[in-house]
Amino acid sequence: MTERGERSADPAEPLDRADHVGSADSATEAFVAHRNLLFTVAYEMLGSATDAEDVLQETWLRWVDVDLDTVREERAYLVRIVTRQALDRLRALGRRKESYVGPWLPEPLLTAPDVAEDVELAESVSMAMLLVLETLQPTERAVFVLREVFDLDYDEIAEAVDKSPNAVRQIAYRARAHIAARRPRGIASPAETRAALQAFQRAVETGDLQSLLDVLAPDVVALSDGGGVKHALLRPVVGIDNVARLLAVGWWKRDEERTVELVQINGGPGLLVRVDGEIDGVVAVRVENGYVTGAYHVRNPEKLSRVERETAVTR
């Protein structure tokens, strides 16, 4: 693949200015047209909107140096660039997470209601699925996301991850088996998830825990992420009795003005918590067979910038 500076036979001969401007405009149009898709790929690989935006910036810097005359399929080429950049960032993130204070949770996104209409997309960006994806190795995660979510063919994925198509098929098989053993058993309907979160909301607003206990699974796991900045659990809390005690003395103490709003978080219902009018955190849940098996509370201020305005995700 050649760069624009190599298009002239004589390196000293400048490109025609009109050609250069037209080429730059074409590159911009292509990038803008696919930006939401590229962000979604990067976000699903990284679980961080902040890092996904950095990857998009790196992708753009490489894209503007590509000779578009040599690009057969702009979407595939852009996905290849963003995947490679996300893989590099993912490996670096793995080292950072080793020193993270307490449990690490994905960065929540406020998403448009219509995201829930694409069931596969909504599941793929859900907090529960992003946590499952965390259990994959970087290349496995990239292959799974590109194949299962975005339906790229094996040849395209092979170019993106620098593997042979046969190797990619094997990686995809292993990743699917790994995810199948860990993903939620049956995708909960938005109504089931909303009902569970409304029980959380009532508990916060009234102090009555019974309706919430009624929807917690016996083996429920509660995780919270304060990033060492806000008070949060330093380790998972497991089991309905332990979670009930946590909730009884936990983050909805009545000594502050606390409001809870039901919103769309990562493609499904979630809770936006405010204290004295300021955003304090986000709650998402994993629902299986009508019961909450996972409760995820993000309080790290650095992860809450994307819950004040909608972020577009697409396939």
Side-chain angles (χ1 to χ4, degrees):
M1 200 63 63
T2 59
E3 296 184 356
R4 288 202 177 95
E6 300 171 347
R7 293 174 67 184
S8 172
D10 180 357
E13 180 185 343
L15 291 172
D16 181 88
R17 187 174 186 279
D19 288 345
H20 179 74
V21 171
S23 185
D25 288 345
S26 296
T28 301
E29 290 173 5
F31 188 85
V32 170
H34 298 297
R35 191 187 188 286
N36 292 342
L37 165 70
L38 300 176
F39 173 84
T40 308
V41 171
Y43 177 71
E44 292 201 19
M45 286 184 59
L46 299 167
S48 165
T50 302
D51 287 294
E53 289 290 358
D54 288 344
V55 163
L56 257 64
Q57 180 65 26
E58 292 162 1
T59 299
W60 165 250
L61 293 175
R62 283 158 177 76
W63 175 242
V64 294
D65 281 336
V66 172
D67 179 356
L68 297 188
D69 290 343
T70 67
V71 176
R72 294 188 303 274
E73 169 54 58
E74 291 174 344
R75 177 182 182 272
Y77 196 96
L78 281 163
V79 168
R80 183 158 76 246
I81 299 175
V82 85
T83 299
R84 289 176 176 173
Q85 297 307 310
L87 274 172
D88 289 343
R89 183 61 61 98
L90 186 58
R91 294 178 180 115
L93 280 176
R95 293 188 290 272
R96 280 163 41 187
K97 289 173 188 174
E98 292 174 0
S99 59
Y100 197 81
V101 178
W104 182 94
L105 291 175
E107 185 177 350
L109 305 177
L110 183 70
T111 51
D114 61 1
V115 173
E117 297 173 6
D118 184 338
V119 176
E120 291 182 352
L121 176 62
E123 185 201 16
S124 72
V125 298
S126 70
M127 296 284 279
M129 179 54 74
L130 290 174
L131 281 172
V132 174
L133 291 175
E134 282 292 309
T135 64
L136 292 172
Q137 295 299 314
T139 301
E140 290 176 331
R141 185 167 183 168
V143 170
F144 181 86
V145 167
L146 294 178
R147 180 63 182 172
E148 301 300 316
V149 181
F150 298 98
D151 198 30
L152 268 65
D153 64 42
Y154 290 114
D155 289 340
E156 289 178 297
I157 299 172
E159 290 190 23
V161 300
D162 291 324
K163 301 284 185 182
S164 70
N166 284 338
V168 167
R169 285 185 174 86
Q170 294 172 2
I171 294 169
Y173 177 82
R174 290 198 306 269
R176 278 195 298 270
H178 183 95
I179 294 296
R182 292 163 176 80
R183 77 194 312 163
R185 297 182 292 274
I187 300 174
S189 69
E192 288 179 310
T193 303
R194 190 177 300 110
L197 284 162
Q198 286 171 338
F200 270 89
Q201 187 174 13
R202 285 193 297 273
V204 175
E205 292 173 344
T206 68
D208 178 14
L209 290 178
Q210 189 55 54
S211 62
L212 178 52
L213 295 177
D214 290 342
V215 298
L216 294 181
D219 57 351
V220 61
V221 177
L223 299 170
S224 64
D225 178 346
V229 179
K230 288 289 191 76
H231 177 71
L233 302 172
L234 292 179
R235 60 187 59 86
V237 173
V238 183
I240 189 170
D241 292 338
N242 292 328
V243 171
R245 282 193 291 271
L246 167 70
L247 297 174
V249 299
W251 50 269
W252 57 60
K253 290 181 179 179
R254 309 298 292 180
D255 56 354
E256 297 172 308
E257 183 62 33
R258 191 179 303 273
T259 61
V260 182
E261 178 186 0
L262 192 64
V263 294
Q264 288 292 117
I265 295 292
N266 286 63
L271 295 178
L272 183 62
V273 183
R274 298 180 189 271
V275 173
D276 297 327
E278 299 294 326
I279 293 176
D280 182 73
V282 166
V283 178
V285 294
R286 168 172 168 158
V287 177
E288 301 177 66
N289 300 319
Y291 290 95
V292 175
T293 59
Y296 315 118
H297 185 197
V298 181
R299 296 194 71 209
N300 184 348
E302 294 182 358
K303 294 185 177 183
L304 297 176
S305 64
R306 290 295 187 122
V307 297
E308 296 185 86
R309 56 184 176 83
E310 287 183 1
T311 296
V313 294
T314 188
R315 293 200 288 169

